[in-house]
Amino acid sequence: MHKRNVIRALTAVTLAMGLSASWAQDNTFKIGLLLPLTGPFASTGKQLETAARLYMAQNGDTVAGKKVQLIVKDDTGVPDVSKRLAQELVVNDKVQVLAGFGLTPLAMTVAPIATQSKTPMVVMAAATSAITEASPYIVRTSFTVPQVVTILADWAIKNNIHKVVTLVTDYAPGVDSETYFKQRFVAQGGQVIETLRVPLRSPDFAPFLQKVRDAKPDALFTFVPAGVGVSLMKQFSERGLDKVGIRVIAEGSVTDDDILGTMGDVALGVVTAHHYSAAHNSAVNKRFVEAFGKASGGLRPNFMAVGAYDGMHVIYEAAKATQGAGKDALLQGMKGQSFESPRGPVSIDAQTRDVVHNIYVRKVEKNGGQLWNTEVQTFTSVKDPAKAAK
Ligand code: PHB
């Protein structure tokens, strides 16, 4: 080939490559999903990832004419890792959305990156009230701790529980659990006789449970993050607390559906408040539980799975409504959405960007030989009371 033709050919190839790269850029809709897939909170990551992939399998991988690309990264549950991965996802991969966030500290550390890059950030798992205030680009599809523990405090007062010891994991959602439960319970004449906090990493509940036993409360109020409830309840029964008549009331993460099956009969009768039970009686939920079981090789979806499934819905609907535009337009498309989720009706408050949904009081019961969180009472359209008070 003549030299000039070689140059022309090369130029054409380079141009075509450039064009196809920019075509791919314009025609993909990238979601960066940050999850703890290894480490102590790996069960949360697995629930979230399975549900996000299930949503895509059921709803297609094209939205507003763009191919949806889910980029899943393992943050190992460590904030510094989350931060680095979020930066890479924004700068190198140019994701339109950051999503996931299995624990509050992971969401908090990424919030400034969402703000600086104007990237909508969908919090599918973490539940401390203040998260949505950490960035105007945050939208939450999980739940807020005050939403559930205030309802549980009301239930306790009405059900002859007057003296309580609280035992929570010592980090933000645990502190929210303790604070908002106590405030509501004490305002109605209840008494919190002791407040105990256990470390987040490798907790040993035994010495704390001994204190609970010695304090002789009517009930133990507790919060531990998803996945941890099995060891708490095992030690509760080993220390014989169930035998001395101390009832357990808990934020619903304690009896999360992923682990409830392995908790044993000590869990029977535990009363919790939460926004999702795999036993929720609706056609949408029955289909979801069945599909999730098939997709996961037999797991039961927990509230983490529903947070991710609904988060994907919010992202898809916003992308459709805004024709795949990113940044502020995409964020606007997320605000004010309302739809039916496996948990029941859900909306995203346009002002606070936080989730509004039903909260259920549930009791652990055996049904067909298996333990379930049976919903016994429903409170509709509950907003985060921590924000309503401001
Ligand atoms: C949180 O870190 O915000 C969190 C994690 C797990 C839960 C609830 C809250 O079950």
Side-chain angles (χ1 to χ4, degrees):
M1 209 189 284
H2 193 277
K3 196 173 165 197
R4 198 184 315 140
N5 285 345
V6 172
I7 290 170
R8 264 198 210 131
L10 279 176
T11 312
V13 169
T14 318
L15 251 174
M17 280 170 59
L19 278 178
S20 77
S22 74
W23 184 87
Q25 191 68 42
D26 290 341
N27 280 279
T28 50
F29 184 87
K30 293 183 188 171
I31 304 168
L33 191 60
L34 287 168
L35 303 174
L37 291 167
T38 54
F41 301 101
S43 62
T44 288
K46 183 165 188 195
Q47 286 274 336
L48 287 155
E49 180 177 6
T50 304
R53 293 201 188 280
L54 174 63
Y55 187 88
M56 288 181 68
Q58 290 177 335
N59 293 277
D61 62 357
T62 307
V63 67
K66 297 187 182 225
K67 182 129 181 96
V68 180
Q69 194 185 340
L70 191 68
I71 307 177
V72 180
K73 300 275 183 189
D74 179 12
D75 61 36
T76 72
V78 174
D80 282 347
V81 179
S82 278
K83 191 172 177 181
R84 177 174 56 75
L85 292 172
Q87 259 152 358
E88 285 172 12
L89 285 166
V90 166
V91 175
N92 301 344
D93 297 300
K94 303 195 168 36
V95 295
Q96 272 91 337
V97 184
L98 289 165
F101 309 102
L103 297 162
T104 292
L106 311 176
M108 286 307 209
T109 189
V110 172
I113 298 172
T115 306
Q116 281 150 24
S117 63
K118 299 186 189 296
T119 307
M121 169 170 162
V122 178
V123 175
M124 298 170 158
T128 303
S129 173
I131 288 174
T132 43
E133 288 156 336
S135 166
Y137 287 86
I138 291 179
V139 168
R140 172 156 43 198
T141 60
S142 49
F143 72 106
T144 89
V145 167
Q147 267 173 343
V148 303
V149 300
T150 48
I151 282 174
L152 190 64
D154 294 348
W155 183 90
I157 290 287
K158 289 195 188 92
N159 285 271
N160 225 14
I161 292 173
H162 306 291
K163 265 196 330 184
V164 162
V165 172
T166 64
L167 172 63
V168 302
T169 302
D170 192 7
Y171 80 125
V175 175
D176 259 12
S177 298
E178 184 192 287
T179 308
Y180 287 93
F181 177 85
K182 187 174 173 182
Q183 212 177 61
R184 186 80 156 230
F185 189 63
V186 169
Q188 296 174 82
Q191 227 188 320
V192 173
I193 51 178
E194 202 158 352
T195 53
L196 305 170
R197 296 182 183 178
V198 298
L200 176 61
R201 303 276 159 186
S202 317
D204 175 13
F205 295 106
F208 296 96
L209 289 170
Q210 191 55 47
K211 284 191 183 167
V212 175
R213 199 186 160 130
D214 295 344
K216 297 192 178 63
D218 299 331
L220 165 68
F221 164 77
T222 181
F223 161 82
V224 293
V228 182
V230 174
S231 65
L232 169 69
M233 291 309 295
K234 190 166 164 274
Q235 293 187 31
F236 185 86
S237 107
E238 280 169 8
R239 302 250 130 201
L241 272 76
D242 48 342
K243 310 286 180 315
V244 296
I246 298 174
R247 296 159 80 180
V248 179
I249 56 175
E251 193 275 356
S253 302
V254 174
T255 59
D256 95 65
D257 277 294
D258 197 15
I259 55 172
L260 188 55
T262 60
M263 214 171 247
D265 286 355
V266 65
L268 281 170
V270 171
V271 171
T272 58
H274 229 205
H275 56 294
Y276 178 69
S277 165
H280 181 66
N281 188 10
S282 76
V284 170
N285 185 48
K286 287 200 173 105
R287 281 199 300 274
F288 174 67
V289 172
E290 197 188 319
F292 189 92
K294 279 194 187 136
S296 62
L299 288 183
R300 206 193 269 185
N302 68 5
F303 63 97
M304 294 293 187
V306 174
Y309 194 74
D310 291 350
M312 290 298 285
H313 180 80
V314 166
I315 295 167
Y316 265 53
E317 291 304 310
K320 276 188 218 166
T322 56
Q323 296 300 308
K327 313 242 172 197
D328 289 272
L330 186 64
L331 178 69
Q332 287 308 323
M334 293 180 180
K335 293 180 187 176
Q337 280 191 28
S338 92
F339 56 96
E340 190 186 350
S341 145
R343 70 182 95 174
V346 165
S347 61
I348 303 296
D349 186 306
Q351 266 76 49
T352 62
R353 296 162 276 103
D354 221 334
V355 63
V356 179
H357 50 185
N358 294 348
I359 301 299
Y360 309 90
V361 173
R362 309 98 49 85
K363 188 176 245 168
V364 177
E365 288 181 347
K366 207 173 249 183
N367 205 335
Q370 289 187 331
L371 297 179
W372 296 92
N373 291 299
T374 308
E375 292 171 355
V376 293
Q377 224 181 331
T378 304
F379 295 81
T380 55
S381 298
V382 179
K383 289 191 172 191
D384 182 19
K387 291 183 187 91
K390 281 181 188 162

